[in-house]
Structures are given as structure tokens and as C-alpha cells.
Amino acid sequence: MSVKRILKHHPEEILESGTGSSTMVLAATVQKLKKETPGYNGRVTSMESVAAWHEIASNNLPDQYRDHVEIILGPRKKFEMGFFRGYVHSNIPKRNYGFVLLDAPAFDDEHGLSFCADVFKVMDFVNHSTIHGVVDGRASSVFVLQTLYGPSAARYYHSLFAASFSIPKIDFRDPKNNTPKDWFCTPFGRLVYRKFRRL
């Protein structure tokens, strides 16, 4: 799913939240695009919050991908946005990410389940009006995306335990973006947060 979307959109800056075998897949995709697309100079920034995994991934990254990937140790940090509580990697480099793969950091704590919020963190500094990406197995992250943007913005495929998304960049901390009129009540009493949904 990630490969298809990267080949379609050609993002120069790719953020991977959670280093793993997917890092090599993303690097191979960037390498392929560099060979086939004149002027394309993509890069993968892979964030890992666990020091032991960071060391293993850094030591085992094949030499053929080292020019395409930077693996960074980024301890997790709480991230609050509206009425959602999530976690981000604390030191994501400020780059103009056009694609985000959400697969970390750990999103549960002593208070229970939260969500992976790196895609919202990068909205603070990216220039793209739309961010494309994939969520790998983090259903709570998909729930937040669907609550804010609507089900069509982040389609979850249960058989794959993954979702693809394309969402507009929004400043969720701007007070003008939070009003009591952002809610809609169905005739059956179901509340829907509709502020940023595509109609």
C-alpha cells in the first residue's frame, strides 16, 4: 500500500514512524524512483523510539540503502490535540514530508490507549496542503483520522490491518477551528464531529 502511494505521488520527503523491515521497502521504492524519474531526489526519515531497536536497525541497514534513509532515535512524547491524546517522536526533523507511514511510537500508557500522532505533529512545519500516508495496524490512529476528516479520508482494510489516507493540513490548535457548531446530531441521537469532513 505504501509503495503504490509513493510511486503515485513521488514525495521527496518520506517520514516513517517506526523503523523495521518496512524501512528497506521504502528505501527500495525511493531508489527505484531515483533511477526512473529525472530530478527526483527522495529521502526516507525513519524515526525509532526504542534505543535497542534503533541500534539494530542502524547496524543492519544494507549499504545499498544508506544514501536513501536516515534512521533517527526519537524518544516518544505526549501530544495533545483538541480532545485527543496521542504520542509522537520527540525530535522529528523539520522537513517537508509529503508521505507518512504511521507504525509507532508505542501508543498505550498507564491511562490506556491513545494514538500515533506523528502525522499531526508534522503539520506544524510541512508546506504541502495535503499529506498522503498509510497507517499500519494502528486502528486508534485511523479512528482519529476518520473522526476528524470522515471515513473516506482514511479507509481501513481489516484484512490488511492497514489504512491509506490523504488529509489536508490543518492547524488544530487554532481557536477559530474549534467551535460548538462543529458538531452534528443525527435524528437518532448520534453526534458526528463534522468540522473538517469532506462533504
Side-chain angles (χ1 to χ4, degrees):
M1 195 180 289
S2 293
V3 170
K4 286 180 181 178
R5 293 179 71 77
I6 291 169
L7 292 176
K8 177 180 179 181
H9 297 291
H10 292 200
E12 293 277 337
E13 296 289 353
I14 296 167
L15 177 65
E16 179 187 33
S17 298
T19 308
S21 57
S22 56
T23 308
M24 289 182 279
V25 175
L26 297 178
T29 306
V30 167
Q31 187 177 58
K32 174 183 172 63
L33 276 174
K34 284 183 177 181
K35 288 178 182 176
E36 297 176 355
T37 309
Y40 177 78
N41 192 28
R43 166 177 52 180
V44 177
T45 303
S46 183
M47 302 298 301
E48 177 52 56
S49 60
V50 180
W53 282 112
H54 173 265
E55 183 177 357
I56 290 168
S58 298
N59 292 336
N60 292 315
L61 183 68
D63 290 339
Q64 70 193 72
Y65 298 138
R66 292 194 180 272
D67 290 341
H68 313 302
V69 178
E70 182 178 6
I71 301 175
I72 299 171
L73 178 63
R76 77 176 190 162
K77 174 181 164 185
K78 191 177 288 184
F79 184 85
E80 294 175 336
M81 178 188 75
F83 47 86
F84 294 108
R85 177 182 59 89
Y87 281 93
V88 296
H89 290 93
S90 56
N91 56 340
I92 300 171
K94 292 185 178 180
R95 297 171 179 162
N96 195 26
Y97 303 107
F99 179 89
V100 177
L101 172 59
L102 288 179
D103 192 21
F107 56 98
D108 58 336
D109 59 21
E110 67 276 10
H111 301 293
L113 189 66
S114 62
F115 75 108
C116 306
D118 279 352
V119 69
F120 296 106
K121 173 68 176 172
V122 302
M123 285 185 185
D124 290 342
F125 51 81
V126 301
N127 296 324
H128 297 291
S129 59
T130 300
I131 301 172
H132 305 285
V134 168
V135 181
D136 185 7
R138 309 298 198 191
S140 59
S141 298
V142 179
F143 175 78
V144 172
L145 290 169
Q146 288 184 352
T147 300
L148 293 172
Y149 293 103
S152 64
R155 296 212 178 271
Y156 189 75
Y157 301 93
H158 184 67
S159 60
L160 301 173
F161 297 101
S164 61
F165 63 85
S166 293
I167 55 174
K169 172 185 170 180
I170 292 170
D171 182 0
F172 288 97
R173 294 183 203 81
D174 186 338
K176 290 180 289 190
N177 284 335
N178 298 285
T179 74
K181 297 178 182 178
D182 300 338
W183 299 90
F184 170 76
C185 183
T186 71
F188 301 103
R190 179 176 177 238
L191 275 175
V192 177
Y193 187 68
R194 64 178 180 179
K195 177 75 173 188
F196 306 109
R197 292 189 168 214
R198 298 172 185 167
L199 302 176

